Amino acid sequence: MLLLFAFINFSSLDAQVKKITVKGFVKDETGLTLPGVGVSVKGTSFGTTTTSDGAYTIQAEPNQTLVFSFIGYQTKEVTVNARTEINIVLQSDVHSLDQVVVIGYGTVKKSDLTGSVGTIKADEIKQTPTIRLDDAMRGKVAGLQITPTSSAPGAASTIRIRGSNSLQGNNEPLYVIDGFVGAGNLNDINTADIESVEILKDASATAIYGSRGSNGVIIITTKKGKAGVTKISYDTYANFASPTRFLNVMNAAQFASWQNEVKGFLAYPNPESLGAGTNYQKEIYKNNALMMNHNLSVSGGNDKSIFYVSGNYLDQDGIHIESNFKRYQFRVNTENKIGEKFKFGTNLSLSRTINKDKNTSAEDLIGWFPTIPVKDANGNFTYQTQTTELASDNPVSVSVQSLNTTYAFRTIGNAYGELEILKGLKYKLNFGLNYNTGRTDQYLPTTLFSQTANQGTATINNTEYTNLLIENTLNYNKTIGDHSFSGLFGYTRQTIKNFNNSVQTTGFVTDAYAYNNLAAGVVRSDATSNNTLEGLESYLFRANYSYKSKYLITTSARLDGSSVFAKNNKWGTFPSVALAWNIGNENFIRDLGTFDNLKLRASYGELGNPGVDPGASLTKLAQNGNNYILGASQSLVAGIAANTLGNDNLKWETTKQYNYGIDVGFFKNRLSASLDYYTKKTTNLLVNVPVLWLTGFQTSLSNFGSVSNKGFEVTINSVNLDKGNFKWTTNFNIATNKNKILDLSDPTGKVLINNIGRGSTSISGILQEGQPLGSFYGLVANGIWHSQAEIDASGLSGFSVFPGGRRYVDIDGDKVINQTLDRQIIGNANPKIFGGIGNTLSYKRLELNFYFSFVQGNQIFNETGSRIGVAFDNNTFAEFVNRWTPTNTNTNVPSVQAVQRSLTVSNSSYVEDGSFLRLRNVSLSYDLPVKNIKWLNGAQVYVSGTNVLLFDNYSGYDPEVNRGFNNTRRGYDLAQDPSTKSFTLGARFNF
């Protein structure tokens, strides 16, 4: 149906009649030409934009009015009066309050906004060449914290808006793309198609999304066509990425000497003869990994129909050898009018991605033997068999020989119709579809040492995801004198079906089939399938009132019913209210002559977070481990039994949020700022709590506990200089967030979490009342013991108290270093402040942009150190060359004995400063003169660098890292791949 709408839309373009051609140039008050100015015919959807030289051409009737609009300048209207040439001068009006901001189920003028909303426009997004939107948003909005989980192509980031609300539930924001709620994966969105991104932060802005709004909402609006001459745009670039840095590990000679001491015998009789050996980081991670990106778009239309069509092809090599990501994407957005009362349209995106992922972890390659070359003298891949402790494949062999490819196809879009029933009253019907299919093919060949027993392993995983949405909304707008009213009422239904299955076989006589013939495997080693269905039914409401644009009030509420929750709590109501006072419009403020804008805001609301999978409230059955021996023959019979305990009272987590804000502008709004203070309290946390043993279960998912977040957000925008052909603007944001656990289900007020280290069960994290989520827990390191005399003088004893051993603080004062009793909180993953600052300098045709992001006050738990920095059958850090020995006591590096795996314990030596300042992006562009080229309206060439500079104190690959999406693992670095710095060469053309 979506495709049918798209094709119908192109058939209704009408011919223009009785019009003349008007040409001219648009300049600012200094005489500088302005490219990209919107030029439209008032009362119609017919329009165009100025070229790079500020020129425009448009058709209009002799008595119609032209409207010239450009962000940062006052809108100007001019009557044609049968003229064929009209030159325009626009006056500066930086950060105009008439700018439209997208909110849930509608738009609002910035001057009438009562909630806390951050906006990122297309011009800001295109400054950072990237395949993922989250990369382009980093550091751009106060209170928005984005942390990558990997540098692999297409890898997602964790995103937090105003901190973390949940312990076990979801903490990621809700995504809305062109009105489709719950759009999900950002990999399939072409950033060149994006018109704007709005980040809804406070309860007033997000309550319209009810049970899914507690983590904030990110609304993505894609581009639409404009009436006028058809435009063709082409953008292409080449990007070259390299690792930012490598970890400093031992070379072959150092490693051999280390191993001789670890093993207690001469495993390597002559270490020095081995030299540097093989650095497997440099074998695996390559420089100048190439990414090619091509975007082509066509847009246009007339008074009745507009369209935007685009295509994208992307091919990205990762820095990890054999990794690659390809994307083919097509988009068509259309809108048509039938008469004056009805319009309909579509937003449709089709994408195909192919992700060739790595099969080697950074932990394995960092620790692999530098004494072993990649290949032997016969050209065959080597493997480690020099000891009986460990035998494995070298990481290059695994990366090259194994197969791991994921194919995904996605269709996401909506078809809508809108009818004006009465003046100011509109009904809109919207159908949405988000359909994804995926297949992951994996094969580990018989040539790998690890497959000696299995003789090859083939696995195929299939997924199918269907998300159907139907929305009915009524919008009403009315102005009576100084009073303005608007209202929204809606009813929506959404159904989500998720299916997956997986089959694995082993025992192949040949690698020729790979994963293409599972039946060729002798043994079916695994087979699983899963199918879930969930539904959401909602009623939503919003009302706005404004008096003289001075006094504003917004109320909203959403009633959600979800199949995810238990029969006693299927429904929940989520209300909000917001007040704003445009005090700058009051005469007593205007008479001061100080403020161009001054607005006070306050809001309160309640939001939900489902945070659990379908069926979480139900008692579930499982077959695994429930077999029985029955009958006279005593045959083994498969049985089924309950494996989870249901909860008929399970319900949403609820977040109550207060927000207080002020917006201010000075010097004709050349300097503007926004300040927000918020407090949030999340109750009814979804956690597994202990239950009585007689139930047959240990825990049950319940609502228990609470968490708070509070902080400040500051955004400042300024035009520092605007004179002649030179302009310099700055945007700055900074935020704080203080997280605290208020109540836990455990009667002790604390829960110990997160084991670390291979072969170790040492606890490294803690959930504790009064402390933040993301607290690290362990012993407090205080150097090493240099001598027995030092030990004797201290009077201490314990597991680590020996010459060369790690020295820990005796917290309880009992003179015994105990792995349990001497632990305390040793770090916090949450930053004290974070933000960004960007500058744009333009001179004639040149434009320079550079953007810094920063984080200060957080710690990182270097889990890589707990696994690599041990005395075992693996390579380790080069710092251990200077380890303590009886002949080298003047050092703070522990001895071999001190870092045995059995002594690995969480301690503050693994906790490092995570603060950093990063030059996120710098770009230089030049608009080519195309005035004399009739078929070309604009051309630009540009060069940019991403992650060019990094100032930090972290010893790992990168301080901007997170171990997956588990909220209790925030701030952990477990051998993620190195981050990348990249350079881009590109060009843009408008025809």
Side-chain angles (χ1 to χ4, degrees), residues 740-751:
K740 183 187 291 186
I741 299 173
L742 302 177
D743 188 21
L744 285 173
S745 59
D746 195 285
T748 65
K750 63 181 180 181
V751 177

Side-chain angles (χ1 to χ4, degrees), residues 543-598:
N544 299 284
Y545 169 73
S546 169
Y547 176 68
K548 290 186 176 181
S549 292
K550 292 182 183 180
Y551 315 111
L552 310 166
I553 181 169
T554 300
T555 61
S556 65
R558 183 166 179 138
L559 176 66
D560 279 334
S562 174
S563 64
V564 170
F565 287 99
K567 60 183 181 181
N568 295 335
N569 289 293
K570 291 291 186 185
W571 291 87
T573 303
F574 305 94
S576 78
V577 61
L579 304 172
W581 181 15
N582 268 319
I583 191 173
N585 291 342
E586 301 286 359
N587 291 332
F588 66 88
I589 295 294
R590 287 179 176 174
D591 292 343
L592 296 175
T594 302
F595 302 97
D596 296 301
N597 170 43
L598 182 60

